[in-house]
Amino acid sequence: MAFVESAGFYPELFVPSGAAPRPQDAVAGLLIREDGRYLMQLRDSKPEIFYPAHWGCFGGAVEPGESPAEALRRELREEIRFDAPAVRRFTQFDFDFGALGYPKVFRIYFEVNVPDSAFGSFVLGEGTDVQAFRGEDLLATRRVTPYDAFAVWMHMNRRPV
């Protein structure tokens, strides 16, 4: 397997410039096609977001008054015009940004099954691409946001229920 560089990736976007993104409580969907592949978004190449031009899970910030599940459903509608019929909480990562003067935040991952018929009607509203990957190929050949890569790895290695 050969590594495939992300279009729009510029290393200089990772040099601190004073325009660092602000951490917030967030949600993400592990979107899984019927054949088991993970649907991932190629993030925009903008310095004001975390990990520009990396592959990542769909999702985003939790708005005030919103539950995490409501936030994920809203984000999926905004980003790919997908109304998720069901979302199942998978795991949560907590990040302590105290050293940077920010509070602790969470990122909650939900498992979302995506029927093939729904995938065909996605309309990409954020990011530059959407593709389906076998987990092994995604982790070995693509530049993936570290926390999303770890969530995919955990999902791939979960014990059968």
Side-chain angles (χ1 to χ4, degrees):
M1 286 186 255
F3 183 81
V4 178
E5 185 58 80
S6 300
F9 176 75
Y10 301 102
E12 59 270 17
L13 292 178
F14 288 89
V15 176
S17 65
R22 187 178 194 289
Q24 295 177 276
D25 289 334
V27 293
L30 292 166
L31 277 62
I32 304 154
R33 292 197 64 175
E34 291 177 18
D35 62 6
R37 291 181 296 159
Y38 295 92
L39 289 168
M40 305 297 286
Q41 170 197 55
L42 182 56
R43 297 169 58 78
D44 289 310
S45 185
K46 299 191 288 190
E48 64 270 14
I49 65 172
F50 286 105
Y51 295 99
H54 281 61
W55 289 95
C57 295
F58 289 95
V62 178
E63 301 293 338
E66 211 174 30
S67 74
E70 290 168 339
L72 179 63
R73 285 190 168 97
R74 176 185 48 75
E75 289 286 346
L76 293 176
R77 282 191 300 275
E78 290 173 5
E79 293 181 355
I80 51 177
R81 294 191 190 162
F82 176 55
D83 285 312
V87 300
R88 287 171 305 286
R89 187 181 176 118
F90 174 66
T91 195
Q92 176 174 327
F93 298 156
D94 296 306
F95 300 93
D96 183 353
F97 285 92
L100 301 176
Y102 295 113
K104 293 180 181 179
V105 298
F106 63 75
R107 186 167 177 85
I108 299 174
Y109 288 84
F110 291 87
E111 183 180 70
V112 182
N113 292 323
V114 178
D116 288 340
S117 58
F119 175 67
S121 63
F122 280 8
V123 176
L124 191 61
E126 286 185 28
T128 60
D129 197 5
V130 58
Q131 288 186 30
F133 297 95
R134 285 185 41 234
E136 298 85 354
D137 295 336
L138 174 70
L139 298 178
T141 67
R142 295 300 190 273
R143 186 178 299 279
V144 182
T145 60
Y147 35 82
D148 291 347
F150 190 50
V152 168
W153 179 89
M154 286 177 61
H155 191 263
M156 291 168 47
N157 288 284
R158 70 194 182 286
R159 293 188 177 142
V161 186

